[in-house]
Amino acid sequence: MSEIIRLLPDHIANQIAAGEVVQRPASVVKELMENAIDAGATRLNLYLKDAGKALIHLIDNGSGMGPRDARMAFERHATSKIREATDLFAIRTMGFRGEALASIAAVAQVHMKTRLHDDELGTEVMVEANEIKSHQPCITAAGTSLAVKNLFFNIPARRNFLKSNPVETRHILQEFTRVAMAHPEVSFTLEHNSAEMYNLPATTAQERVVQLMGPSLSGQLVPVQERTLYVQMQGFICKPAAARKGRGEQYFFVNDRFIKSGYLHHAVLNAYQDLIPDDAHPFYAIWLTIDPKHIDVNIHPTKTEIKFDDEATVYALLQSVVKKAVAALLPGPLEIDDEEGVAAAIRNTPPEQEPLTIGHLRTFPATKTSAEGWEKLFESKSQAAPASQASAQEPIPLAEPDEAVWLQFNERYLLSPTPDGLLILDMVHAHQRVRYEAVMRSTVLPPVASQQLLFPQSLRFTPEEMSLLKEMEQALSHIGFDLHPFGNEGYMLQGLPPDLTQIGAQAFFEELLALAREAPAQEVKNKIVERIALAVARRSSIQPGKKLNTREMAALYEQLLRCEHPGLSPSGKPTWFQVEHDFLDRHFRR
Ligand code: ADP
Ligand code: MG
């Protein structure tokens, strides 16, 4: 028998290995971003064309590379990050296998420019299917600019296997989000087909979560923290009311590396037991810091899974940390036995009860379980209740504010004496309610003729955003948005609902997209109209600080009274508060 075993030529070995590391454009994005972070960059600018299929270009201000390293970086198993086997147990960098650049360069055209901060000249390297096409000095900024063009250009089967642009874009955004969230101290931008999708200045972890997940999460985050000798944990979980149906967003980072762990996820979910519906998922972002000798990151080629040497401890700790944080959110029963106690109880009670989520609309709890203390306060109104608070069930009181006396204070509050005391309106919440109901009404009436714009406005969106907006086109047009798609890239806005001509179209659509992304597809479908109404309410209502005259203040109150649910803003916050005479009398010991 003849000898038949042969060594594969390098370029074939590289292509095969590339299959493991580079599955799709998103894998390239991840590897490039991690390399930039490893290189100590504080700024990453990512540019994409065609969902990364045509171009993935990352510019960083990290260490850069000297001429030799710039060439070496594309060799398989070329890494600056480990030198000997024991280093494998002390890995603090994102990469360490020295495979990514070699793999990427095996299946794409790569153009890199890089310069060390102390060097005057940089190095330009062009590689195509692992072949170095050029390697020469160049003028470039300190740091590294790496462009990956035409991924899989030399493997048509792989290229054809890629999914549609919206799907590939979504994968990229997922990787981008993971890296950007793990590193709030680093600033990131992302442009897709020349449209800016993200611009994230360096900030705190909490702010970064909000930058990425949308402002709707901003009031819903609860910090968690625990330190033991074995592991440190810190991060944010969401209030039970903010848990979403279907797929939620969950992030674990171990030593700043995003990881997936069904086991640890279970620990968190367990802590929410009985507080959220079975099909709801809480958002969380939790950073674990642990000595690298206790973990093994080597078990998965793309490194999203790791092993702890004492997993059960991490599980137990995580569960107890989250449980504690969740428990602290539940209002305990209030003890009320004397007058002083009532006053103290009221001072200590948060101004808003924890809202429950019904769809995206929040209302105050109708059940009596968690709010017994509050209920007691209001039941015995004659006895002690000094102040009224809006609630979903209670209609707005027939307080008759003095038509002529309205006072505006502290940016957003409107005050007027009533026969029972002093009425205070939150004008922003009140106006949002008015706006919201107006839109909701118009959706069940015949279509609204739009007010044509003198200068049509072009609005650009990413493919992913377009797919979300497509589902809302009909409802938007019904209420008076005159939108004409151009391709898959955006809309020409030719007209607006007549009473919304002042709305900032760009900001409105951003708000709408943020709301649409909050919920899984199924839910969005049923709630399209509510979402649009909420976005209109938020974007077109009075902003804090706006000065109103007496007539306008009285008119706003009138409009609020005509609403179906005047007591709450569309996001479930109170619109009014009344300080009753009783309370004043008591306070002044009359
Ligand atoms: P690994 O990250 O596993 O070491 P890579 O193939 O991703 O392997 O990168 C090879 C080497 O190239 C890295 O170890 C690093 O020294 C260098 N390198 C890659 N990207 C950058 C960058 N953006 N800035 C500085 N050096 C880089
Ligand atoms: Mg790497």
Side-chain angles (χ1 to χ4, degrees), residues 9 14 32 34 42 107 121 131 189 215 225 306 326 355 395 399 425 495 543:
N14 280 337
L32 298 189
E34 291 189 346
T42 57
V107 293
L121 272 186
E131 236 180 84
T189 63
Q225 189 165 20
I306 66 166
V326 173
L425 284 191
Q543 297 299 305

Side-chain angles (χ1 to χ4, degrees), residues 166 459-473 484-491 513 517:
L459 300 166
R460 292 196 160 267
F461 297 107
T462 64
E464 183 241 9
E465 292 169 328
M466 282 302 278
S467 64
L468 288 170
L469 289 171
K470 280 261 180 294
E471 299 193 31
M472 301 192 261
E473 267 176 16
H484 300 263
F486 49 89
N488 206 23
E489 285 167 23
Y491 290 101
L513 284 166
R517 284 201 190 94

Side-chain angles (χ1 to χ4, degrees), residues 129-146:
N130 267 148
E131 236 180 84
I132 303 278
K133 296 278 178 191
S134 131
H135 179 205
Q136 58 184 23
C138 75
I139 291 174
T140 184
T144 302
S145 149
L146 210 151

Side-chain angles (χ1 to χ4, degrees), residues 279 347 357 360 387 392 502:
D279 53 351
R347 277 197 302 273
T357 304
H360 72 290
Q502 299 304 314

Side-chain angles (χ1 to χ4, degrees), residues 277-390:
D278 282 347
D279 53 351
H281 291 268
F283 166 89
Y284 57 80
I286 299 175
W287 282 257
L288 309 182
T289 311
I290 185 165
D291 188 323
K293 71 173 187 244
H294 294 306
I295 54 175
D296 180 1
V297 288
N298 216 357
I299 57 171
H300 196 279
T302 54
K303 302 172 304 244
T304 52
E305 282 162 29
I306 66 166
K307 252 170 87 116
F308 297 87
D309 61 6
D310 185 359
E311 215 169 23
T313 293
V314 181
Y315 183 101
L317 211 56
L318 191 57
Q319 183 173 346
S320 95
V321 170
V322 177
K323 249 195 185 134
K324 232 189 306 172
V326 173
L329 293 171
L330 301 173
L334 297 176
E335 296 292 335
I336 299 161
D337 35 24
D338 57 26
E339 244 185 58
E340 200 29 49
V342 172
I346 284 151
R347 277 197 302 273
N348 292 334
T349 306
E352 288 173 42
Q353 284 172 264
E354 186 53 42
L356 286 178
T357 304
I358 297 172
H360 72 290
L361 274 184
R362 303 195 183 97
T363 59
F364 288 84
T367 53
K368 315 209 179 245
T369 45
S370 63
E372 261 162 15
W374 271 94
E375 305 258 317
K376 251 190 233 166
L377 282 181
F378 291 112
E379 264 164 24
S380 51
K381 191 172 177 175
S382 56
Q383 175 211 327
S388 304
Q389 168 99 26

Side-chain angles (χ1 to χ4, degrees), residues 35-36 39 60 63-65 73 78-81 95-101 144:
N35 278 347
D60 71 56
S63 64
M65 284 171 265
T79 179
S80 54
K81 300 169 195 172
F96 60 87
R97 292 160 178 267
E99 275 180 333
L101 289 188
T144 302

Side-chain angles (χ1 to χ4, degrees), residues 198-479:
Y198 285 99
N199 185 349
L200 313 173
T203 181
T204 59
Q206 178 160 7
E207 249 316 295
R208 176 57 54 86
V209 167
V210 173
Q211 287 174 344
L212 287 164
M213 298 288 107
S216 60
L217 210 55
S218 73
Q220 305 295 332
L221 296 174
V222 184
V224 294
Q225 189 165 20
E226 186 70 79
R227 276 165 179 272
T228 69
L229 281 179
Y230 182 71
V231 64
Q232 288 174 32
M233 299 179 175
Q234 52 192 346
F236 307 93
I237 59 169
C238 77
K239 298 180 182 173
R244 296 272 171 262
K245 275 217 178 78
R247 184 188 64 94
E249 304 267 2
Q250 286 89 29
Y251 298 87
F252 282 121
F253 304 101
V254 174
N255 296 350
D256 293 338
R257 176 203 307 275
F258 171 84
I259 62 139
K260 276 187 211 153
S261 167
Y263 183 67
L264 295 186
H265 177 58
H266 189 260
V268 177
L269 274 191
N270 240 347
Y272 279 90
Q273 218 170 27
D274 299 333
L275 292 171
I276 59 176
D278 282 347
D279 53 351
H281 291 268
F283 166 89
Y284 57 80
I286 299 175
W287 282 257
L288 309 182
T289 311
I290 185 165
D291 188 323
K293 71 173 187 244
H294 294 306
I295 54 175
D296 180 1
V297 288
N298 216 357
I299 57 171
H300 196 279
T302 54
K303 302 172 304 244
T304 52
E305 282 162 29
I306 66 166
K307 252 170 87 116
F308 297 87
D309 61 6
D310 185 359
E311 215 169 23
T313 293
V314 181
Y315 183 101
L317 211 56
L318 191 57
Q319 183 173 346
S320 95
V321 170
V322 177
K323 249 195 185 134
K324 232 189 306 172
V326 173
L329 293 171
L330 301 173
L334 297 176
E335 296 292 335
I336 299 161
D337 35 24
D338 57 26
E339 244 185 58
E340 200 29 49
V342 172
I346 284 151
R347 277 197 302 273
N348 292 334
T349 306
E352 288 173 42
Q353 284 172 264
E354 186 53 42
L356 286 178
T357 304
I358 297 172
H360 72 290
L361 274 184
R362 303 195 183 97
T363 59
F364 288 84
T367 53
K368 315 209 179 245
T369 45
S370 63
E372 261 162 15
W374 271 94
E375 305 258 317
K376 251 190 233 166
L377 282 181
F378 291 112
E379 264 164 24
S380 51
K381 191 172 177 175
S382 56
Q383 175 211 327
S388 304
Q389 168 99 26
S391 98
Q393 290 78 41
E394 211 179 315
I396 200 159
L398 275 180
E400 279 158 29
D402 188 329
E403 262 176 51
V405 184
W406 278 97
L407 184 80
Q408 186 172 15
F409 68 101
N410 203 6
E411 299 270 286
R412 58 192 294 155
Y413 299 120
L414 313 182
L415 180 142
S416 183
T418 69
D420 299 326
L422 290 171
L423 176 72
I424 301 170
L425 284 191
D426 181 313
M427 69 172 191
V428 179
H429 291 170
H431 197 224
Q432 284 181 354
R433 165 54 60 185
V434 170
R435 280 296 201 197
Y436 180 82
E437 293 203 4
V439 175
M440 290 303 283
R441 269 196 307 278
S442 70
T443 59
V444 293
L445 297 172
V448 176
S450 52
Q451 169 105 22
Q452 292 299 305
L453 296 176
L454 213 45
F455 302 104
Q457 194 179 344
S458 88
L459 300 166
R460 292 196 160 267
F461 297 107
T462 64
E464 183 241 9
E465 292 169 328
M466 282 302 278
S467 64
L468 288 170
L469 289 171
K470 280 261 180 294
E471 299 193 31
M472 301 192 261
E473 267 176 16
Q474 214 184 343
L476 285 166
S477 113
H478 187 99
I479 63 167

